[in-house]
Amino acid sequence: MNRAALVAGPTGLIGSTVLHQLLSDDRFYRTVALSRHHLDLPGDKLEQWTSPDLLSALRPEPVDAVFCCLGTTIRTAGSQAAFRRVDHDLVIGLGNWAKTNGVNTFCVVSAIGADAGSGIFYNRVKGEMERDLKAIGLPALHIFQPSILTGPRKEMRLGERIGIPVMQLLAPLMGGNWSRYRPMRHDTLAQAMINAATIPASGTHAYSDIMRMAGA
């Protein structure tokens, strides 16, 4: 069955990978890139909805699946309030649009440690995002909680430069509950998200589940 998809955040590490994989996936006949700026990408399957105010670019046109890869850092955003607008408010706005327009499946990138009651700001915002998405009542909601992601980032923070090699060395020793902290390839997560669009159920997915869904 051919499907139509929308990718929010198509310029980041995960979003750009999801977008490129969708464009070469025969299960999807149409892919919408929701972005603030036009992307210089060819393809008859690609449609672009653009606006500096991301939510205003949304149209009342149905798609089968939404892949929400929106995310920033406090450093890039400039403040906690600006970070929350991207990682919570825009995600929930997109979720409400999906509910209104009859989207069947909503896939979103969250994080290990997401907890609405956390004393850590980052984890709390991610947890509130998950909680508020669930409250919308989407037909199928897939929440992905990867640990450290490897891949060609445009900007790599100091902690990632140090942490990724260390975590890769320790990964074989991480069994049981610790397995969820293993580093993961960015394209593995992207493939798992795309495959989830064929699963008519909701779930929260960490390392082992993501690897299985990706067929890795």
Side-chain angles (χ1 to χ4, degrees):
M1 178 181 177
N2 285 337
R3 298 172 173 86
L6 181 146
V7 182
T11 60
L13 177 64
I14 301 305
S16 62
T17 308
V18 169
L19 179 60
H20 282 88
Q21 289 187 5
L22 283 170
L23 293 176
S24 62
D25 193 319
D26 291 337
R27 293 174 295 178
F28 294 84
Y29 73 93
R30 173 175 170 245
T31 300
V32 176
L34 180 69
S35 179
R36 292 185 175 88
H37 307 287
H38 185 83
L39 307 178
D40 187 17
L41 288 174
D44 295 336
K45 292 170 58 174
L46 178 63
E47 183 176 337
Q48 302 198 43
W49 297 356
T50 61
S51 173
D53 179 8
L54 204 60
L55 296 182
S56 69
L58 292 167
R59 306 174 188 176
E61 298 179 15
V63 297
D64 299 288
V66 166
F67 299 95
C68 182
C69 307
L70 297 169
T72 187
T73 64
I74 295 177
R75 179 179 178 181
T76 300
S79 68
Q80 289 189 344
F83 172 85
R84 180 179 174 82
R85 164 141 178 84
V86 174
D87 282 58
H88 178 276
D89 299 352
L90 289 182
V91 177
I92 301 307
L94 183 60
N96 285 323
W97 174 86
K99 177 68 173 180
T100 300
N101 288 275
V103 173
N104 294 323
T105 306
F106 194 101
C107 300
V108 62
V109 181
S110 184
I112 288 288
D115 179 0
S118 176
I120 300 171
F121 176 76
Y122 178 87
N123 290 354
R124 183 168 69 251
V125 171
K126 290 294 188 182
E128 290 171 351
M129 177 271 288
E130 292 187 7
R131 177 198 65 197
D132 296 344
L133 266 182
K134 291 175 182 177
I136 293 173
L138 295 157
L141 172 61
H142 292 279
I143 297 171
F144 291 83
Q145 295 182 335
S147 182
I148 293 177
L149 292 167
T150 64
R153 299 178 185 273
K154 295 178 181 177
E155 178 184 358
M156 184 172 288
R157 291 158 287 187
L158 177 61
E160 291 169 338
R161 291 194 187 99
I162 299 172
I164 290 175
V166 171
M167 293 294 283
Q168 287 175 323
L169 287 172
L170 293 176
L173 304 177
M174 295 179 177
N177 290 334
W178 286 101
S179 66
R180 61 187 306 165
Y181 294 99
R182 290 176 180 172
M184 177 183 299
R185 287 177 54 92
H186 66 294
D187 50 354
T188 297
L189 174 58
Q191 189 62 63
M193 293 179 70
I194 292 171
N195 290 344
T198 67
I199 302 173
S202 297
T204 299
H205 313 293
Y207 181 85
S208 296
D209 204 14
I210 295 170
M211 297 296 286
R212 177 184 59 78
M213 295 174 76

